[in-house]
Amino acid sequence: QVQLVESGGGLAQPGGSLRLSCAASGFTLDYYAVGWFRQAPGKEREGISCISSSGSTHYVDSVKGRFTISRDNAKNTVYLRMNSLKPEDTAVYYCATAHTPPDLPCAEIRDYGYWGQGTQVAVSS
């Protein structure tokens, strides 16, 4: 059974940190680009970071310098380390996979095939 499962969400204080995991089962992540997305209440889902199969990365400006995406192919898992969290980071976070050229980290959202169920992140004091 093909699955992506996100974990690691929860409640954090402003300035705090969380590490999200995106674990794949039923297929190998090695040849996929992986994107992290988030959706806040009443807002559209937005892509925030992505990583290519070769490890090239991309971040949107709102998370650049605070979030770090990485992959561990041996564990079939992609991570999103989130530091210096802000209340506006509160959202449900999703990971998804896409086929891209090895050095291209991101795809159009419509090209992401497998999606996880999401993990809630809340940043509040």
Side-chain angles (χ1 to χ4, degrees):
Q1 183 182 2
V2 171
Q3 257 190 322
L4 281 177
V5 178
E6 301 95 337
S7 61
L11 177 64
Q13 291 190 335
S17 298
L18 288 171
R19 188 182 77 159
L20 305 184
S21 299
C22 171
S25 61
F27 71 106
T28 301
L29 272 179
D30 294 25
Y31 303 109
Y32 287 86
V34 177
W36 280 100
F37 300 78
R38 67 186 180 187
Q39 188 165 19
K43 294 189 176 182
E44 290 189 357
R45 190 171 299 189
E46 63 167 338
I48 58 170
S49 183
C50 45
I51 186 167
S52 73
S53 58
S54 70
S56 298
T57 59
H58 173 77
Y59 304 90
V60 295
D61 287 346
S62 60
V63 307
K64 197 174 293 182
R66 299 189 299 123
F67 290 9
T68 303
I69 190 171
S70 62
R71 63 191 305 154
D72 185 340
N73 288 342
K75 295 184 178 180
N76 219 25
T77 300
V78 169
Y79 303 98
L80 186 70
R81 177 69 179 182
M82 306 188 296
N83 295 330
S84 303
L85 283 163
K86 304 175 180 180
E88 51 263 43
D89 295 319
T90 296
V92 178
Y93 284 69
Y94 301 88
C95 64
T97 63
H99 281 294
T100 66
D103 292 328
L104 186 64
C106 304
E108 296 292 330
I109 191 169
R110 63 176 179 269
D111 293 328
Y112 285 88
Y114 298 137
W115 288 82
Q117 82 292 344
T119 185
Q120 176 72 53
V121 170
V123 183
S124 175
S125 55

